[in-house]
Amino acid sequence: MQNRVLRNPKFVLILIILLAIFFRSYDFVALLPFNHDGDLYSFIVKDIVIDKHIRLVGQITSTEGVFIGPLFYYLLVPFFVVAYMDPIGVMLFSILIGIIGVVGNYFIFKDLIGVKAGLISGFLLAVLPFWVGIDRWIVPTVTVNIWCIWYFYSLIKISKGYSKYLILNLFLLGLIWHIHIALFPLTLLLPLAVYMSGKWPSPKILMSGILAFLLPMIPFIIFEARHGFIQIQSIVNSFEQSPTLTIDKKFFKVLDVSLSRNDLEKVFWLLFPLFIYKIRAIQLKVMVI
């Protein structure tokens, strides 16, 4: 009876979720990294809740005149309200992000590979110190991991001919402004996935996808219309300035940081996709994406 319960994927998933909750809530008051970001999101939430100021943008980015979207701050509002405007309420937000991440990883890898892969993925996300630390670090980019895994999933589905996932994909692209502009280059994978599918989405799906993209962009459109398209102008001006690093140097710098500083590890991570494809662990389309 005990072995049968432990072999039940839903029961194991519940245990994994409980682990995620524990690690994301453990000694939260003492370990809450409340610094500039904490001060800023607390002020903006106070501006929304107490001063009744409808925010169309969040904090300014490293590019002068360009802001991030306000979605992150609105997501924090209910947790501040529950905690009587005490910033410690973000602990509940951290826990929720962790649960959504674990369940999402389980569902996605279960669908793409199998139940065991789903459970392993959810477990690693629940307990690895790196991911626990990311979820406990309450900043606008805290949802990047959730965005990436669902974006990856939508691309795989599109590449396999499931055109309806274009709606999810375009909705996620519309969220980039709210999460992190550095995600923008990943938009190049969408036409690749459509090409790999061998079919063009129907006009109905295409129109639904465009509407899904525009929905999270409404605050951006309103803000730009009211403020003389300041962000668009700032983005254009940033490209006209002389860059400190050329495109090729930026590429190798990102590659260096992403793949580890160790040259042997770089070779390993570059060859690893070929290895798992060679042993037939994943399909070619999945490896390419």
Side-chain angles (χ1 to χ4, degrees):
M1 179 64 180
Q2 184 178 2
N3 290 336
R4 188 179 301 174
V5 171
L6 291 176
R7 290 176 182 174
N8 186 327
K10 293 182 180 179
F11 179 77
V12 176
L13 179 61
I14 291 173
L15 292 179
I16 293 173
I17 291 174
L18 291 176
L19 283 173
I21 293 173
F22 170 75
F23 285 116
R24 283 154 183 79
S25 60
Y26 175 76
D27 204 8
F28 199 90
V29 175
L31 299 176
L32 174 64
F34 192 85
N35 43 35
H36 169 71
D37 290 302
D39 183 60
L40 191 57
Y41 66 62
S42 298
F43 173 80
I44 294 179
V45 171
K46 176 257 183 188
D47 193 33
I48 296 171
V49 177
I50 298 178
D51 299 333
K52 312 299 182 183
H53 180 199
I54 298 177
R55 304 281 303 210
L56 293 175
V57 296
Q59 67 192 75
I60 196 167
T61 66
S62 56
T63 301
E64 187 67 28
V66 179
F67 302 83
I68 65 169
L71 180 60
F72 167 73
Y73 305 99
Y74 282 105
L75 291 177
L76 290 181
V77 165
F79 303 101
F80 267 79
V81 172
V82 168
Y84 298 98
M85 299 306 290
D86 189 326
I88 198 60
V90 298
M91 177 186 71
L92 299 175
F93 180 71
S94 174
I95 291 173
L96 180 62
I97 290 295
I99 293 174
I100 293 174
V102 167
V103 174
N105 273 37
Y106 167 74
F107 171 81
I108 288 170
F109 285 101
K110 173 189 173 184
D111 184 50
L112 295 180
I113 303 176
V115 174
K116 289 183 179 180
L119 291 173
I120 292 171
S121 175
F123 175 75
L124 293 176
L125 191 65
V127 303
L128 285 180
F130 175 80
W131 293 117
V132 173
I134 289 293
D135 287 347
R136 291 176 66 119
W137 187 33
I138 308 299
V139 291
T141 55
V142 70
T143 54
V144 163
N145 180 53
I146 294 175
W147 186 95
C148 286
I149 191 64
W150 282 101
Y151 185 67
F152 166 76
Y153 180 64
S154 66
L155 289 172
I156 297 301
K157 285 295 189 177
I158 292 170
S159 70
K160 292 183 177 182
Y162 299 97
S163 300
K164 64 180 181 180
Y165 284 89
L166 179 68
I167 300 173
L168 171 61
N169 189 279
L170 289 174
F171 175 74
L172 291 170
L173 292 182
L175 288 174
I176 287 179
W177 177 57
H178 295 274
I179 300 174
H180 202 309
I181 199 67
L183 297 171
F184 182 76
L186 294 178
T187 59
L188 297 175
L189 292 175
L190 176 55
L192 173 63
V194 173
Y195 172 77
M196 292 169 65
S197 71
K199 59 186 296 188
W200 185 254
S202 67
K204 181 180 178 180
I205 290 178
L206 198 56
M207 183 58 65
S208 298
I210 292 173
L211 292 175
F213 171 79
L214 291 175
L215 181 62
M217 292 296 291
I218 290 175
F220 177 84
I221 296 170
I222 296 175
F223 182 86
E224 290 297 275
R226 292 182 62 183
H227 297 277
F229 302 96
I230 180 176
Q231 294 189 90
I232 294 176
Q233 292 179 24
S234 298
I235 292 172
V236 172
N237 292 336
S238 69
F239 284 110
E240 294 177 351
Q241 297 173 359
S242 299
T244 55
L245 288 176
T246 59
I247 294 296
D248 59 328
K249 288 183 179 179
K250 283 184 178 181
F251 173 79
F252 285 108
K253 182 178 180 181
V254 170
L255 194 68
D256 184 50
V257 173
S258 302
L259 295 177
S260 165
R261 303 283 185 182
N262 186 289
D263 291 338
L264 288 177
E265 289 186 17
K266 282 187 177 65
V267 173
F268 171 79
W269 287 118
L270 288 171
L271 295 179
F272 184 69
L274 297 176
F275 168 73
I276 58 177
Y277 172 68
K278 187 69 176 178
I279 64 173
R280 301 179 183 275
I282 60 173
Q283 297 174 337
L284 179 60
K285 291 182 179 180
V286 178
M287 188 197 76
V288 171
I289 296 295

